[in-house]
Amino acid sequence: MTRFLPDEFRIPAIGAGVIVLAALLPLFDDGFYLAMAVNIVLYAALCTAWALFSGPTHYISLATAAFFGLGTYAVALGNELLPFPLLVALGAAIAAVLAGFVGAATLRISGVYFVIFTLGLAELVRQIVSWAQVKWSTRMGLYVFTDFTEAHIYWMLLALTAAVFLTGWLINRSRLGFAMQIIGNDEAVARHCGIDTARLKIILFMISGAFIGMAGAIVAPRYLYVAPPSAFNPTISFLVVIMALLGGTRWLWGPLVGVIPFTIVMEFVSANFPNDTSIVIGIVFLVIVYVLPDGVTGRLEQLLARMRRTSTASKAATVKEAA
Amino acid sequence: MFKRTMMALAASAVAIAMTGGIAAAQQTLKIGASAPKTGPLAGGAAVTHWPSLQLWIHDVNARGGLNVGGKKLKVELVEYDDKTNPEEAVKNIQRLITVDKVDFLAAPYSTGINLATAPIIAKSGYPHVATSAATENMAEFAKRWPNSFWILGSSTEYAEGVVQALQTAQKAGLIGKRIAVVNVADAFGLELAAAGKPALKKAGFEIVYEASYPLGAQDLAPVISQAKAAKPDAFVAFSYPGDTFALTEQAQIQDLEVGVFYVGVGAAFPAFAGRFKDAATGIMGIGGINMSSKENLDFRRRLKEVTKVEPDYWGSAVVYSGHQILEQAIERAGTTDRAAVIAAIRKTPAKTVIGEIDLSTNVNSKNWTVGQWQDGAFHGVAAKGFDGAKAPIRKPAWKK
């Protein structure tokens, strides 16, 4: 691990400040805005965890629902038997193990094969869980009764998001992060440098899967009633990809930039056009694709570049005038 | 572009907040509703849930509004799509309560979402009259959330209804003792089978064939051919809409001749009769209504007139009755104070389109459990707590 330089702590310090400010929200509102903040923080954690793996490797994973559902089920099945923090850890472990197996089986293939496989994986896990429930119990739905309020769930998700960001930051400045950068740019070159690409990709996929599993575990008490269709909802996988790509995955905070406007716009649409959400959302998507093809961060980069160009141009002009 | 969008958003947020503030002087009663308009359950909600709510709003306003302590208040609906997603539903309910500040809530749709939203509805002290949640633990939930009322029956009640209908048919000499039982391996199907099989044995029936099949199974021909090989007197399937249609189709193709042919969820849909026409005659299924009740027939006629939607023969009337329970309690309490309304629901039984509903224990004990297609309508042939069940007829030979 590379040594820390005092300079490097500026960004995590800002991040910590933002998290502390965000943690104060439940003191001001415990109704709609808190409920919406829970959704934003949930997707912030999911999208950032997703981008930990998919950002540098450019593998589009649709397995989010599988990891998420396993975390939810860990809590639903064990809620009466084990303390909650242990169940969250268990959810993370189960999701990581699944990610490890899937990674070992599929990360040697790439492109569209990987996408299709991960999409099928979520459905496969759902079917296995349903089958197991049919075989060993006569109930399909499980109840998760806890004493957690919305504020508790919000704080837990916020802590998870902080952990995802911290992990992402540590990875980026580690040998693993450096290796991932090379793999992302050119996998053949990475292999020639002696990087064990398959192993590193599996490790990263497991870390990403574990965080997604934890998010599912934390949200389970909010569902209260857990059944396979809601825990393994494929919409989650797609929303995560859409929001992360909207933000852009080149930077750690890119997905966050996608999650916040996306959630607010969707909220605005569903509040004002309850009967035509599908149409309006479709139009919003078209606008996004045409106006922000590289995501919000890509657009910001462009704007910054343009501003720099104009400022150098004006500087050049003043220099000329002075001469 | 982005900046402008955000400005527009902020401006509209302010506008929304302001309209919320002005509506302080009460002229209307705001009713909040969140249920699926998109997602897997949108189809079911479009038949069973939304039209009944629209009709109720229409009916109340056509009467001049609700009589609240001598003042007539019209009702205004604020509705959101929960996308068949519990996360979305929780957020919608929060928005209805804390931003729109609605006076009362219409219950969400489906067991899962009624349960997911129950804690926040309870925390905010709103009455919660759940009309589409079928679970085994209603009494426990009523204790946990004293503001919640459970109108639909439990799976055990629906399974016992099947046994009751079979016994009636047996006494009438329509069938013998041999029963084939199949079920879909998913939530409601499993619970019904788990409750139904022991009840059948206890009633002296002999289960000659049993099988389960996964949800979404494409080919159900083997299920019917094996059931047929067991030579049953009656065929019972605890099924979901998709397989309800598929099993009936296969039974028709393979000429499964039985005295009682029972299928689960879906048999009460108008689309079922639309698909099988005359061949539907004699088929039994979950649900049923009292076709001799004037109120119910009147409700069906008005629903079709006002919303242009054909009501089903099970949930539509139950959903409407849930709104009636709330309406009558508000008028009896004479106030919009929600605690008083909850007490009023518990205190006096409500007169609804499905009959008189007593909620002194928060759980409704009266339900139609089995219906049968006779003369183009799905008549209730077995019920718990209700009178007026029609005598079942023997299923005639399949018409093709």
Side-chain angles (χ1 to χ4, degrees):
Chain A
M1 180 137 286
T2 12
R3 218 177 322 137
F4 292 100
L5 300 169
D7 252 26
E8 280 183 280
F9 286 103
R10 217 179 52 202
I11 290 173
I14 296 172
V18 172
I19 298 259
V20 168
L21 279 183
L24 297 177
L25 175 84
L27 304 180
F28 299 102
D29 183 79
D30 64 346
F32 166 64
Y33 296 100
L34 179 60
M36 192 163 148
V38 170
N39 287 8
I40 289 182
V41 181
L42 169 65
Y43 277 97
L46 288 176
C47 292
T48 315
W50 179 86
L52 281 185
F53 170 75
S54 294
T57 59
H58 306 302
Y59 281 71
I60 302 289
S61 157
L62 289 175
T64 309
F67 303 137
F68 184 87
L70 283 175
T72 312
Y73 259 87
V75 172
L77 288 171
N79 191 39
E80 310 275 294
L81 309 168
L82 296 169
F84 189 73
L86 205 63
L87 291 172
V88 175
L90 201 65
I94 298 171
V97 169
L98 177 72
F101 278 121
V102 172
T106 61
L107 282 178
R108 281 160 222 276
I109 58 171
S110 67
V112 75
Y113 302 103
F114 181 76
V115 182
I116 297 296
F117 184 88
T118 51
L119 176 63
L121 178 74
E123 187 58 24
L124 176 71
V125 175
R126 180 169 88 98
Q127 292 297 344
I128 291 174
V129 169
S130 308
W131 175 83
Q133 259 183 296
V134 170
K135 188 124 179 104
W136 289 298
S137 93
T138 55
R139 285 280 150 86
M140 214 53 183
L142 297 163
Y143 301 108
V144 183
F145 286 116
T146 57
D147 296 325
F148 294 130
T149 62
E150 286 270 292
H152 292 134
I153 292 172
Y154 174 72
W155 282 320
M156 286 191 280
L157 285 171
L158 205 58
L160 179 70
T161 311
V164 176
F165 269 93
L166 187 65
T167 311
W169 180 70
L170 288 174
I171 289 176
N172 279 348
R173 57 181 307 294
S174 71
R175 287 164 59 95
L176 174 62
F178 187 51
M180 288 323 289
Q181 254 177 28
I182 304 174
I183 295 174
N185 286 334
D186 195 324
E187 208 170 322
V189 170
R191 264 199 303 274
H192 282 286
C193 295
I195 296 171
D196 186 351
T197 55
R199 192 175 66 95
L200 292 187
K201 280 190 289 184
I202 293 171
I203 291 175
L204 209 59
F205 196 45
M206 286 173 74
I207 295 173
S208 160
F211 279 123
I212 295 170
M214 283 169 91
I218 292 172
V219 173
R222 199 185 194 215
Y223 278 24
L224 210 72
Y225 177 80
V226 174
S230 59
F232 297 98
N233 184 351
T235 322
I236 297 172
S237 305
F238 288 103
L239 278 180
V240 164
V241 175
I242 292 167
M243 288 191 218
L245 293 183
L246 168 64
T249 55
R250 227 176 309 165
W251 285 313
L252 190 56
W253 50 273
L256 192 65
V257 181
V259 169
I260 295 173
F262 185 89
T263 321
I264 294 173
V265 169
M266 287 305 138
E267 197 48 48
F268 181 76
V269 169
S270 55
N272 292 284
F273 311 96
N275 290 310
D276 314 285
T277 25
S278 305
I279 299 172
V280 181
I281 286 174
I283 295 171
V284 171
F285 273 136
L286 285 179
V287 172
I288 288 171
V289 170
Y290 279 108
V291 181
L292 300 167
D294 300 321
V296 175
T297 48
R299 187 75 184 175
L300 283 178
E301 251 175 286
Q302 247 178 7
L303 286 177
L304 275 178
R306 199 183 300 161
M307 265 162 61
R308 237 174 258 147
R309 227 179 303 133
T310 29
S311 73
T312 24
S314 62
K315 232 180 255 167
T318 30
V319 171
K320 218 182 230 170
E321 253 167 51
Chain B
M1 167 67 203
F2 184 65
K3 196 172 153 201
R4 244 176 295 150
T5 321
M6 290 309 285
M7 290 283 279
L9 273 178
S12 30
V14 169
I16 292 165
M18 274 170 62
T19 45
I22 294 165
Q26 188 138 43
Q27 293 307 322
T28 59
L29 215 51
K30 269 200 200 175
I31 306 289
S34 162
K37 284 172 188 284
T38 54
L41 293 181
V47 176
T48 308
H49 190 84
W50 290 112
S52 290
L53 178 58
Q54 277 165 18
L55 176 66
W56 178 69
I57 299 278
H58 171 270
D59 283 354
V60 170
N61 287 340
R63 249 200 332 266
L66 285 181
N67 184 358
V68 183
K71 209 163 123 198
K72 285 266 185 184
L73 295 181
K74 292 214 170 184
V75 286
E76 177 198 342
L77 182 66
V78 185
E79 49 178 346
Y80 296 125
D81 175 12
D82 69 18
K83 307 188 175 103
T84 322
N85 173 348
E87 298 283 319
E88 199 68 23
V90 166
K91 195 189 64 196
N92 284 348
I93 298 284
Q94 287 281 25
R95 188 221 298 271
L96 288 167
I97 293 173
T98 62
V99 179
D100 298 317
K101 298 194 170 30
V102 295
D103 296 290
F104 291 97
L105 289 169
Y109 181 69
S110 86
T111 308
I113 292 184
N114 265 295
L115 284 172
T117 52
I120 25 159
I121 301 179
K123 198 181 119 211
S124 318
Y126 280 68
H128 179 186
V129 187
T131 43
S132 54
T135 92
E136 284 301 300
N137 312 49
M138 289 181 291
E140 185 196 315
F141 296 149
K143 213 177 286 164
R144 190 178 283 269
W145 305 300
N147 65 314
S148 68
F149 299 91
W150 305 84
I151 313 302
L152 218 51
S154 69
S155 11
T156 308
E157 282 168 13
Y158 286 111
E160 281 166 355
V162 176
V163 178
Q164 189 190 334
L166 288 172
Q167 279 176 316
T168 316
Q170 196 190 20
K171 271 183 210 136
L174 306 182
I175 55 165
K177 279 193 167 151
R178 300 168 60 82
I179 317 282
V181 184
V182 304
N183 69 282
V184 59
D186 199 68
F188 202 37
L190 278 173
E191 292 192 358
L192 281 168
K197 284 178 194 169
L200 279 171
K201 282 180 196 150
K202 211 175 135 207
F205 288 105
E206 184 191 344
I207 297 177
V208 293
Y209 173 70
E210 55 185 308
S212 78
Y213 51 87
L215 181 61
Q218 294 297 317
D219 183 14
L220 293 172
V223 174
I224 294 292
S225 61
Q226 284 165 27
K228 194 180 173 187
K231 297 197 172 50
D233 299 318
F235 177 82
V236 173
F238 298 117
S239 53
Y240 273 177
D243 28 298
T244 294
F245 281 74
L247 285 169
T248 311
E249 229 161 71
Q250 274 303 323
Q252 188 180 18
I253 291 168
Q254 300 188 28
D255 258 327
L256 174 70
E257 289 304 342
V258 282
V260 167
F261 185 85
Y262 171 96
V263 275
V265 185
F269 293 175
F272 188 84
R275 163 70 185 77
F276 294 103
K277 309 258 164 29
D278 283 350
T281 303
I283 290 177
M284 288 189 191
I286 197 164
I289 58 167
N290 185 353
M291 288 299 285
S292 57
S293 144
K294 211 178 112 281
E295 290 86 8
N296 207 332
L297 292 176
D298 191 44
F299 157 75
R300 299 182 68 79
R301 186 183 48 75
R302 279 183 296 125
L303 188 90
K304 219 171 144 185
E305 239 171 58
V306 173
T307 67
K308 312 276 178 276
V309 176
E310 182 99 24
D312 71 14
Y313 288 88
W314 182 22
S316 296
V318 180
V319 172
Y320 189 84
S321 73
H323 304 313
Q324 286 185 304
I325 290 167
L326 188 63
E327 166 195 335
Q328 292 170 20
I330 295 171
E331 291 196 329
R332 267 199 316 272
T335 161
T336 54
D337 177 53
R338 291 180 277 268
V341 172
I342 292 170
I345 295 177
R346 218 174 282 133
K347 198 170 161 218
T348 321
K351 289 187 181 58
T352 73
V353 291
I354 57 169
E356 197 176 78
I357 304 283
D358 178 1
L359 289 169
S360 51
T361 61
N362 286 38
V363 179
N364 170 29
S365 57
K366 293 184 195 169
N367 259 301
W368 286 98
T369 50
V370 181
Q372 184 178 41
W373 285 100
Q374 297 181 16
D375 313 318
F378 197 64
H379 297 263
V381 292
K384 186 176 174 235
F386 281 133
D387 295 326
K390 207 170 159 80
I393 56 165
R394 190 186 152 83
K395 156 115 197 39
W398 291 99
K399 287 197 188 80
K400 292 196 180 167

